[in-house]
């Protein structure tokens, strides 16, 4: 295969929805994209914008957030990426779509920084952001609201701690890579009473010191909001987007399967306050939950990468992946997403002020129809949402996980893969094993 010589390619990790959103966002502007994954699966590999896939070996011994994740040995992956990058004349731009890969880039930046372009996050800062206990304490010092939290310790008397806490509450790992957390699907346990919390820690005493208890902010999925921003190489917030989740799968604590862009100055102010307090640079996504009784936005978590639904940003007029690419490669702004003088000033850090930021198109909705359908099946006993409303939401969306009329093959492939998975579940339910 002939590799382009005059333009920096993009190396995106994964072949899933998040990777496809990035691929489509930069690929539409002629940027060559190469995917990195442990094997050829998922629909991104069929995209017209994906030039090729580089395969790395999964290492079963590596810690991972979920059992189905693919995680490589860092030394092996570092060697492979350096080999792949050497094939190109221009430095490749890196994009992370998972926590483990973001951690890898933070850990290996000294080896990779001379050969690749990325908004590098220092290991100390990365640890602060990904350690939920440390981040709670940081938010308290920065004046950002957080739910009431108790960080468990090995010496804690959990019966007393449970009696003194508020309910309902969440019990979740302090570190995203905590092995052995008994609730695999969502990495969170909802305790409605002190007795439930006591029972959990009595059954799993090893979770003391590895978990935290956090007040559950009342409200449904539609009270969850995300602020995603690009802090450019000059340290200026070059672009941002505010999104409201309307449905999550799994319900309550999963990834957004239906949501929309909305104007939210209060959310943006809280997100910007925290990003500036951290001294963060690059693409970051911060999640908050709105509490109606005091009108506050309470910090939930931050990711040092774009969210799963990142395809919405380009479709809403704020193409964060492409703007990050332009910032890293010092390219002129020639796309229809980034042609204004204000945006040029924003990216170069020459002017400040909200007017310099690209403005998103409000009420642009995004949907992952497969996961939304799973949400509908999961919650049918608790919700009166009809299939007609589900189809209406899908039809009114302006951004989709897999569908794009200029690049239809990933949609077809994702539908085939979804049908195969459903058929497998049906056969297993009938007691038929695939040979």
């Amino acid at each position: 295969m002939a590799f382009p010589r005059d333009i920096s390619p993009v190396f995106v990790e994964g072949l899933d929805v998040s990777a496809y959103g990035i691929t489509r966002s930069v690929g539409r502007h002629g940027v060559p994209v190469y995917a990195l994954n442990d094997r050829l699966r998922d629909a991104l590999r069929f995209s017209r914008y994906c030039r090729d896939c580089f395969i790395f070996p999964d290492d079963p011994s590596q810690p991972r957030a979920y059992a189905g994740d693919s995680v490589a040995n860092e030394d092996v992956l570092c060697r492979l990426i350096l080999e792949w990058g050497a094939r190109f004349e221009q430095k490749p731009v890196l994009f992370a779509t998972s926590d483990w890969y973001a951690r890898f880039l933070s850990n290996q930046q000294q080896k990779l920084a001379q050969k690749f372009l990325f908004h590098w996050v220092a290991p100390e800062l990365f640890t602060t952001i990904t350690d939920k206990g440390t981040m709670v304490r940081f938010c308290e010092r920065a004046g950002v609201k957080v739910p009431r939290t108790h960080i468990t310790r090995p010496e804690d008397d959990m019966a007393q701690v449970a009696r003194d806490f508020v309910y309902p509450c969440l019990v979740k790992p302090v570190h995203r890579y905590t092995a052995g957390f008994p609730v695999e699907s969502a990495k969170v346990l909802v305790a409605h009473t002190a007795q439930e919390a006591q029972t959990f820690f009595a059954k799993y005493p090893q979770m003391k010191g590895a978990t935290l208890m956090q007040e559950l902010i009342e409200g449904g999925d539609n009270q969850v909001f995300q602020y995603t921003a690009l802090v450019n190489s000059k340290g200026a917030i070059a672009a941002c987007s505010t999104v409201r989740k309307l449905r999550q799968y799994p319900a309550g604590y999963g990834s957004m399967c239906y949501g929309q862009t909305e104007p939210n100055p209060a959310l943006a102010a809280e997100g910007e306050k925290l990003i500036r307090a951290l001294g963060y640079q690059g693409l970051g996504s911060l999640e908050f939950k709105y509490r109606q009784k005091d009108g506050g936005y309470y910090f939930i978590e931050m990711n040092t990468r774009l969210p799963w639904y990142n395809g919405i940003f380009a479709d809403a007029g704020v193409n964060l992946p492409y703007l990050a690419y332009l910032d890293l490669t010092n390219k002129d702004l020639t796309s229809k997403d980034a042609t204004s003088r204000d945006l040029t000033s924003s990216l170069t850090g020459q002017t400040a002020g909200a007017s310099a930021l690209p403005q998103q198109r409000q009420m642009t909705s995004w949907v992952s129809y497969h996961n939304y359908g799973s949400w509908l099946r999961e919650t049918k006993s608790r919700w009166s949402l009809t299939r007609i409303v589900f189809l209406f939401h899908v039809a009114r969306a302006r951004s989709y996980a897999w569908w794009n009329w200029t690049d239809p093959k990933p949609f077809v492939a994702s539908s085939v893969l979804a049908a195969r998975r459903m058929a497998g579940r049906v056969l297993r339910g009938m007691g038929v094993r695939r040979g």
Side-chain angles (χ1 to χ4, degrees):
M1 170 177 289
F3 297 102
R5 295 181 174 275
D6 59 344
I7 185 172
S8 289
V10 160
F11 280 14
V12 63
E13 171 248 336
L15 291 169
D16 61 358
V17 167
S18 181
Y20 180 54
I22 294 168
T23 299
R24 194 173 68 197
S25 297
V26 300
R28 66 176 68 177
H29 298 293
V31 178
V33 180
Y34 299 83
L36 282 59
N37 207 44
D38 68 318
R39 58 185 182 272
L40 289 176
R41 62 177 181 184
D42 293 328
L44 168 59
R45 62 192 174 103
F46 298 101
S47 172
R48 59 180 290 197
Y49 302 120
C50 183
R51 300 290 185 92
D52 200 1
C53 296
F54 296 134
I55 305 300
F56 59 80
D58 177 59
D59 185 348
S61 68
Q62 297 298 310
R64 58 201 69 212
Y66 299 99
D69 289 351
S70 299
V71 181
N73 176 280
E74 288 197 0
D75 292 332
V76 172
L77 182 57
C78 188
R79 175 178 56 79
L80 288 173
I81 288 183
L82 287 169
E83 290 177 2
W84 297 329
R87 304 178 187 181
F88 299 86
E89 186 171 309
Q90 303 296 323
K91 292 181 180 180
V93 175
L94 303 176
F95 280 92
T97 65
S98 67
D99 293 333
W100 77 264
Y101 189 76
R103 180 187 60 180
F104 160 77
L105 294 179
S106 179
N107 290 342
Q108 301 295 326
Q109 60 183 284
Q110 288 189 345
K111 297 178 182 178
L112 299 174
Q114 297 301 315
K115 301 294 183 180
F116 295 91
L117 299 174
F118 185 70
H119 291 105
W120 305 101
V121 181
E124 298 80 8
L125 179 56
F126 184 82
T127 299
T128 295
I129 293 171
T130 57
D131 184 306
K132 290 183 172 65
T134 303
M135 199 60 174
V136 164
R137 291 188 288 264
F138 186 93
C139 287
E140 291 172 342
R141 294 193 300 269
V144 175
K145 291 183 176 181
V146 290
R148 178 178 169 182
T149 302
H150 174 79
I151 303 165
T152 65
R153 299 168 298 178
E155 66 271 19
D156 276 347
D157 177 355
M158 291 311 301
Q160 184 63 48
V161 170
R163 284 195 297 270
D164 293 341
F165 208 66
V166 293
Y167 296 92
C169 79
L170 306 176
V171 180
K172 51 188 177 181
V174 171
H175 300 287
R176 296 176 185 179
Y177 308 100
T178 298
F181 191 77
V183 187
E184 175 64 30
S185 61
K187 286 288 184 182
V188 63
L189 170 79
V190 182
H192 295 90
T193 65
Q195 184 59 51
E196 289 183 10
Q198 290 182 46
T199 300
F200 173 83
F201 285 103
K203 186 175 182 180
Y204 305 103
Q206 72 275 17
M207 290 292 104
K208 291 198 301 180
T211 54
L212 57 79
M213 299 172 66
Q214 192 166 73
E215 174 188 15
L216 177 60
I217 302 297
E218 65 277 5
D221 288 350
N222 62 355
Q223 298 302 304
V224 179
F225 298 81
Q226 287 192 316
Y227 169 82
T228 304
L230 166 64
V231 183
N232 67 18
S233 301
K234 303 290 186 180
I237 295 179
C240 65
S241 177
T242 50
V243 170
R244 181 176 193 164
K245 291 185 176 183
L246 298 173
R247 303 284 185 272
Q248 297 185 102
Y249 178 75
Y253 314 101
S255 300
M256 186 177 87
C257 58
Y258 178 59
Q260 63 189 20
T261 58
E262 289 187 5
N264 197 324
L267 172 69
E270 289 299 299
E272 181 175 344
K273 180 199 297 185
L274 185 50
I275 274 187
R276 292 196 182 282
L278 287 164
Y280 184 78
Q281 186 178 104
L283 292 164
S285 184
L286 293 78
E287 183 166 293
F288 295 82
K289 191 165 185 181
Y290 178 71
R291 185 171 229 164
Q292 291 185 335
K293 69 180 182 181
D294 64 7
Y297 287 90
Y298 286 73
F299 174 79
I300 303 300
E301 66 174 0
M302 176 178 175
N303 287 307
T304 61
R305 54 178 171 81
L306 289 168
W308 191 61
Y309 57 82
N310 66 74
I312 194 176
F313 300 130
D315 294 332
V318 184
N319 193 335
L320 289 172
Y322 187 52
L323 296 176
Y325 175 87
L326 292 174
D327 179 52
L328 289 166
T329 57
N330 297 311
K331 297 292 185 182
D332 293 332
L333 306 181
T334 57
S335 78
K336 64 182 180 180
D337 299 302
T339 56
S340 73
R341 181 173 60 184
D342 284 343
L343 180 54
T344 302
S345 299
S346 170
L347 277 171
T348 58
Q350 294 175 351
T351 60
S355 62
L357 301 183
Q359 300 300 303
Q360 70 181 9
R361 287 187 289 274
Q362 309 297 356
M363 314 310 288
T364 300
S365 55
W366 179 95
V367 66
S368 169
Y369 27 81
H370 298 319
N371 281 23
Y372 198 164
S374 298
W375 177 92
L376 186 61
R377 291 191 297 271
E378 178 187 77
T379 60
K380 62 183 179 181
S381 61
R382 293 180 285 140
W383 296 84
S384 59
L385 181 69
T386 66
R387 292 181 180 180
I388 294 177
V389 175
F390 162 70
L391 293 173
F392 170 75
H393 286 166
V394 172
R396 73 178 289 270
R398 293 296 176 264
S399 185
Y400 298 89
W402 288 115
W403 168 250
N404 186 271
W405 68 273
T406 64
D407 189 27
K409 287 185 179 179
F411 168 76
V412 175
S414 69
S415 299
V416 171
L417 290 171
R420 290 178 59 185
R421 286 193 291 267
M422 182 175 293
R425 286 194 295 267
V426 171
L427 290 174
R428 287 192 295 273
M430 297 170 60
V432 178
R433 294 187 177 183
R434 298 172 65 181

